[in-house]
Amino acid sequence: QVHLVQSGTEVKEPGASVRVSCKTSGYTFTDYAIHWVRQAPGQGLEWMGWINTGTGGLKYSQRFQARVTITSVTSATTVYLDLTSLTSEDTAVYFCSRSRGYSFDPWGQGTLVTVSS
Amino acid sequence: QSALTQPRSVSGSPGQSVTISCTGTSSDIGAYDYVSWVQQHPGRAPQVMISDVTKRPSGVPDRFSGSKSGNAASLTISGLQAEDEADYYCSSYTGTNTFVFGTGTHVTVL
């Protein structure tokens, strides 16, 4: 069974950086890309970017291009999201999701990142 | 890339049908048959209901169906059930390896 398990809640001060991890299992890691999607409190889903875990190919949303880095470690079957220069507007739940063709299936449980001084 | 447009909310009684629209442009929905829909219950992770406009993944009830016409897509829930009360989001491939989600629709079962 496919599982995506994310790291725990983070609390950061404005200007700091955060790393969220997504540990995958139950399938061949390099056969599927991983997306990152975030959801601010009471708001909708926002696509941030994805990584081709087989080739290392990347694509980021223009909105986050300057502040986001997605990496993967095949030996650990884990994908990471790094977001820098945090502001209160980055307070959100961050989800990883496996690419299923051009859809998103399944999803991790989500990681709450709170940015507050 | 602007978010796809969905109605804020729709509602229906048990057993009825509801349809959620998702309006994009000729650069996203109109250009590719890569529209998907996810369901999200409060405090939970989303779950895919429809992929590639009309495909229903294994385990998704057949009362969920998808369609597309021009720059708009739709999700129809037939035979509405109490457990269908949730938020629904469409998404589309937009070319150049990017994606966009819809604004989200809350479905209320009366």
Side-chain angles (χ1 to χ4, degrees):
Chain A
Q1 194 171 4
V2 177
H3 288 290
L4 279 65
V5 178
Q6 300 182 220
S7 49
T9 298
E10 299 273 5
V11 179
K12 297 292 183 180
E13 292 191 347
S17 299
V18 68
R19 166 168 281 199
V20 181
S21 67
C22 175
K23 167 71 175 173
T24 73
S25 61
Y27 69 98
T28 301
F29 180 71
T30 51
D31 282 352
Y32 296 85
I34 294 288
H35 296 269
W36 286 97
V37 177
R38 81 176 188 180
Q39 185 171 38
Q43 303 300 309
L45 302 174
E46 184 172 25
W47 184 78
M48 299 182 71
W50 65 330
I51 184 167
N52 182 322
T53 54
T55 66
L58 293 161
K59 189 71 175 185
Y60 302 130
S61 165
Q62 280 194 338
R63 179 164 147 78
F64 302 101
Q65 178 86 33
R67 299 194 296 129
V68 70
T69 303
I70 299 174
T71 56
S72 68
V73 178
T74 300
S75 60
T77 65
T78 299
V79 175
Y80 299 92
L81 171 76
D82 290 293
L83 190 61
T84 62
S85 303
L86 294 169
T87 72
S88 58
E89 294 189 352
D90 294 314
T91 293
V93 176
Y94 290 76
F95 294 100
C96 62
S97 178
R98 193 184 71 166
S99 177
R100 188 176 183 277
Y102 291 86
S103 67
F104 307 81
D105 180 43
W107 294 62
Q109 84 276 19
T111 297
L112 174 62
V113 175
T114 300
V115 183
S116 175
S117 54
Chain B
Q1 180 69 49
S2 299
L4 307 174
T5 301
Q6 299 180 231
R8 192 168 183 87
S9 65
V10 299
S11 62
S13 299
Q16 288 186 330
S17 293
V18 295
T19 296
I20 303 167
S21 61
C22 172
T23 303
T25 70
S26 58
S27 297
D28 39 63
I29 293 178
Y32 306 98
D33 288 335
Y34 297 137
V35 176
S36 62
W37 292 87
V38 296
Q39 175 193 67
Q40 186 181 33
H41 287 107
R44 305 293 300 275
Q47 175 183 347
V48 68
M49 306 306 281
I50 295 288
S51 64
D52 298 345
V53 179
T54 61
K55 296 178 182 176
R56 198 171 46 249
S58 173
V60 174
D62 60 7
R63 63 179 184 274
F64 290 87
S65 62
S67 63
K68 188 188 99 166
S69 178
N71 297 337
S74 296
L75 173 72
T76 297
I77 310 173
S78 305
L80 200 61
Q81 298 186 8
E83 60 262 36
D84 299 333
E85 183 159 308
D87 294 326
Y88 294 81
Y89 295 90
C90 59
S91 68
S92 177
Y93 180 65
T94 66
T96 61
N97 285 325
T98 59
F99 294 79
V100 64
F101 280 94
T103 51
T105 299
H106 183 74
V107 171
T108 301
V109 181
L110 300 171

